[in-house]
Amino acid sequence: MLMWFTIGFSASCGLFAYGRDSRWLLPAAIVAVLLLVAGSCLTRKKQLIRTAVTVLVGSLLGFGWFGAYYLGYLQQLQTMDAEQFVMTVTATDYGRGIEYGTSVDGIVLVEGKPCQICLYLTEKMEIHPGDRLEGRFRLQVTMADRTDDAVWFQGRGIFLLGYQTGEIKVVSSQKIPGWCFTALLRQKIQAILTQCFPEDTSAFAK
């Protein structure tokens, strides 16, 4: 029964997270599962009924959990979509050079709650974990109906993108915080791979 509960819970969370339009998912899922239960009752097979009920309970709990997460966290972020804000972001990784500047992952406080964000800066900058970036950014929410790479960003826990729209100030951290250990370790591993493999194959090793 645990397997069927997990299937129902995971399916509802997946639909809610990656559906193109989440508004219809809850009523559609409830109707579908209720129809499954009704069909199972008509067969008069107790095992099938128990399975259907287990899937139903898992699905409803999944929607309840994700609904609470949406109301308590994601809903606030959606109101910030396409708006500009002056923010202070703490970098959680090293800056990555891109075609038109630099991108870096970080954490910003939204009404006192930490939120992961990916910043796109218009200049080439050397940024380290723990550095603080202060400036004005235009925000974009990584929802499936608003961002093409929403699944990739959400898989990394990133629900906001920030695009630099004005001057930015970088306050360097004197020491890389302990909670950035994974970024530091990844940087060292990539440096080792670069030294150990030829230039034309190092990209595959990474």
Side-chain angles (χ1 to χ4, degrees):
M1 287 297 123
L2 180 59
M3 179 188 71
W4 292 110
F5 175 87
T6 303
I7 290 175
F9 186 87
S10 302
S12 60
C13 289
L15 287 173
F16 213 121
Y18 302 122
R20 299 298 297 183
D21 187 350
S22 300
R23 290 173 296 181
W24 60 269
L25 291 176
L26 179 57
I30 292 177
V31 170
V33 177
L34 289 178
L35 289 175
L36 177 62
V37 173
S40 302
C41 292
L42 292 176
T43 62
R44 295 181 179 179
K45 294 182 178 180
K46 293 184 178 180
Q47 181 61 33
L48 188 57
I49 294 174
R50 287 197 296 268
T51 299
V53 171
T54 303
V55 173
L56 171 62
V57 172
S59 299
L60 292 179
L61 287 178
F63 276 111
W65 180 87
F66 209 100
Y69 182 72
Y70 173 81
L71 292 175
Y73 186 70
L74 298 182
Q75 189 176 45
Q76 174 61 29
L77 299 183
Q78 287 188 320
T79 64
M80 305 170 68
D81 190 52
E83 299 292 337
Q84 294 189 23
F85 296 89
V86 175
M87 303 186 307
T88 298
V89 179
T90 302
T92 58
D93 204 344
Y94 290 88
R96 301 177 294 273
I98 54 179
E99 183 178 356
Y100 54 85
T102 306
S103 70
V104 62
D105 297 340
I107 291 180
V108 62
L109 293 180
V110 178
E111 292 192 348
K113 300 176 183 178
C115 175
Q116 294 195 64
I117 185 172
C118 180
L119 297 180
Y120 291 94
L121 311 177
T122 58
E123 304 174 27
K124 296 290 185 180
M125 296 183 178
E126 185 175 345
I127 301 174
H128 300 84
D131 290 354
R132 293 201 319 273
L133 297 90
E134 303 172 359
R136 179 176 291 274
F137 300 91
R138 177 177 57 83
L139 300 183
Q140 180 180 353
V141 180
T142 60
M143 295 299 180
D145 56 345
R146 307 185 191 193
T147 306
D148 292 336
D149 298 325
V151 174
W152 184 76
F153 282 113
Q154 291 183 7
R156 297 167 56 204
I158 295 174
F159 293 94
L160 277 180
L161 306 180
Y163 298 90
Q164 180 184 349
T165 59
E167 294 295 326
I168 187 171
K169 177 183 178 182
V170 179
V171 180
S172 298
S173 174
Q174 299 299 321
K175 182 180 179 181
I176 297 179
W179 49 268
C180 294
F181 171 76
T182 55
L184 180 61
L185 180 61
R186 181 168 59 251
Q187 184 82 349
K188 289 184 176 181
I189 292 175
Q190 289 179 347
I192 293 173
L193 292 176
T194 300
Q195 294 177 353
C196 295
F197 290 89
E199 183 177 352
D200 56 345
T201 60
S202 61
F204 295 98
K206 294 177 183 180

